[in-house]
């Protein structure tokens, strides 16, 4: 069977194999698979870990002809303005499509670090017609589970490169990195640093690649010490900025790969008594509400989060109707939003002489 949202799934082990692996009877393993409550916690844990370890897949039960008007949205968390923008886009598009949305904040994980399968079983129980995953890291067994149940799904801004055939929606991160860097170059900056997110994440590597491409196009040498990773964490970004300031030749500008991390950069500069943009120009990424609240307001690359989410929902609706998108990857354009955090480099006005 072809993947609903990804490549073909393989047949997994039988329930008997899972039961033997977990050291329980087949009826006990069946109770865990079917969400029964009359199982001891330790037994449930052993069976659940065996299910994940072996990649067990329940028989398909999803029937598109009987699909409900319900879709699931799984977001990384619910306490950020990023999630708020995604929720807004999905809600508006779902309203237009006559669908209801169930929101889940992340996928719980077992002691081994694998996402629990209980959420996936609940998905079947409530009869959801499709799923949107935002910033989710799905395992091979979870992809196989969704495919075997024939549940359509779309990834919004996937963390890692999806398997072949998986439908995803993201932003033009490489172009955004180019745009941010070209803006700083146009202001005369040559010592431009970048503070990126997680080193292995798609968006981080794409934004850094855009940054390097813009430098190369301007005939500037890439300086490895100017590239730092902060995992999209504000406090870590503050430390990375302090490290940059301690270099023998500190940068005159920094491209920060998220507005949230820019908060930490501003804090570090304030600690050193430096002014934005007189001493250091700063460019962010996302154009979240906090970018306008900062003083000075943050020049940033706008990532169309709500539009990405709405596009993903519309693609999901088409897949629920049995259609296949023309392309598995959809990228929406980014654009620079100029505010007050960038200015021309000053040969004599920076905190060190050039």
């Amino acid at each position: 069977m072809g993947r609903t949202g990804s490549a073909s799934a393989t047949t997994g082990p039988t329930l008997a194999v899972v039961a033997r692996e977990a050291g329980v009877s087949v009826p006990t393993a069946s109770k865990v698979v079917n969400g029964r409550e009359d199982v001891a916690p330790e037994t449930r844990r052993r069976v659940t870990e065996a299910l994940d370890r072996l990649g067990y897949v329940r028989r398909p039960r999803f029937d598109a002809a009987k699909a409900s008007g319900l879709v699931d949205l799984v977001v990384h968390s619910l306490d950020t303005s990023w999630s708020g923008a995604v929720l807004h886009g999905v809600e508006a598009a779902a309203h237009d499509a006559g669908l209801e949305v169930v929101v889940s904040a992340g996928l719980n994980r077992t002691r081994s670090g694998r996402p629990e399968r209980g959420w996936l079983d609940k998905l079947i129980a409530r009869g959801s017609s499709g799923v949107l995953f935002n910033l989710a890291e799905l395992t091979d067994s979870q992809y196989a589970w969704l495919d075997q149940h024939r549940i359509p799904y779309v990834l919004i801004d996937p963390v890692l490169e999806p398997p072949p055939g998986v439908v995803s929606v993201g932003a033009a991160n490489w172009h955004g990195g180019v745009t941010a860097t070209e803006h700083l170059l146009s202001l005369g900056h040559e010592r431009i640093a970048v503070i990126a997110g997680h080193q292995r994440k798609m968006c981080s590597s794409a934004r850094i690649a855009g940054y390097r491409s813009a430098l190369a196009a301007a005939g500037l040498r890439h300086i490895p010490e100017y590239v730092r990773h902060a995992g999209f964490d504000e406090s870590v970004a503050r430390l990375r900025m302090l490290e940059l300031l301690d270099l023998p030749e500190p940068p005159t500008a920094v491209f920060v790969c998220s507005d949230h991390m820019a908060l930490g950069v501003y804090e570090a500069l304030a600690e050193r008594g430096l002014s934005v943009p007189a001493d250091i120009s700063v460019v962010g990424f996302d154009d979240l509400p906090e970018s306008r609240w900062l003083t000075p307001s943050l020049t940033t690359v706008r990532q169309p989060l709500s539009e990405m989410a709405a596009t993903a929902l519309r693609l999901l609706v088409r897949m629920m109707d049995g259609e296949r998108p023309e392309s598995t990857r959809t990228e929406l354009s980014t654009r620079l939003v100029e505010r007050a955090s960038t200015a021309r480099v000053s040969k004599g006005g920076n905190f060190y002489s050039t």
Side-chain angles (χ1 to χ4, degrees), residues 166-201:
V166 171
V167 178
S168 66
V169 178
N173 288 296
W174 179 87
H175 182 265
V178 169
T179 302
T181 309
E182 286 182 340
H183 171 66
L184 294 170
L185 289 167
S186 72
L187 295 173
H189 295 278
E190 295 185 354
R191 294 173 179 170
I192 304 171
V194 60
I195 298 178
H198 295 282
Q199 195 162 2
R200 67 189 185 94
K201 289 192 174 182

Side-chain angles (χ1 to χ4, degrees), residues 9-14 17-18 21 47-58 114 117 139-145 148:
T10 57
T11 302
T14 64
V17 172
V18 173
E21 175 77 9
V47 174
T48 299
E49 291 186 353
L51 290 168
D52 285 334
R53 187 164 56 250
L54 298 175
Y56 175 78
V57 179
R58 292 173 60 182
R114 298 185 180 91
R117 59 183 294 114
T139 64
D140 289 342
S141 62
Q142 288 174 328
Y143 280 123
W145 190 98
Q148 289 294 319

Side-chain angles (χ1 to χ4, degrees), residues 189-194 211 225-226 240-241 243-255 269 274 279-281 345 350-352:
H189 295 278
E190 295 185 354
R191 294 173 179 170
I192 304 171
V194 60
Y211 155 83
E225 291 80 11
Y226 280 3
R240 297 295 175 263
M241 188 67 239
E243 292 169 0
L244 289 168
L245 294 175
D246 289 335
L247 291 174
E249 291 185 326
T252 62
V254 58
F255 167 37
L269 296 174
L274 300 175
D279 295 314
I280 296 274
S281 285
V345 65
N350 289 101
F351 63 98
Y352 65 94

Side-chain angles (χ1 to χ4, degrees), residues 108-174:
N108 294 329
R109 295 184 175 269
T110 63
R111 294 179 185 176
S112 64
R114 298 185 180 91
E116 292 179 350
R117 59 183 294 114
W119 176 87
L120 296 171
D121 291 328
K122 290 178 182 178
L123 180 74
I124 284 291
R126 60 176 165 257
S128 290
S129 300
V131 191
L132 297 173
F133 293 101
N134 179 222
L135 296 175
E137 297 183 57
L138 300 181
T139 64
D140 289 342
S141 62
Q142 288 174 328
Y143 280 123
W145 190 98
L146 290 162
D147 293 337
Q148 289 294 319
H149 285 78
R150 299 187 178 92
I151 298 177
Y153 59 96
V154 177
L155 308 184
I156 304 170
D157 198 18
V159 173
L160 306 176
E161 185 73 32
V166 171
V167 178
S168 66
V169 178
N173 288 296
W174 179 87

Side-chain angles (χ1 to χ4, degrees), residues 171-177 179 285 301-304 332-336:
N173 288 296
W174 179 87
H175 182 265
T179 302
F285 202 106
V301 176
R302 182 179 186 273
Q303 182 170 207
L332 302 189
S333 61
T334 55
R335 65 178 178 85
L336 186 75

Side-chain angles (χ1 to χ4, degrees), residues 81-99:
S81 52
W82 169 289
S83 297
V86 170
L87 285 169
H88 175 75
V90 170
E91 189 279 330
H95 180 269
D96 292 341
L99 296 171

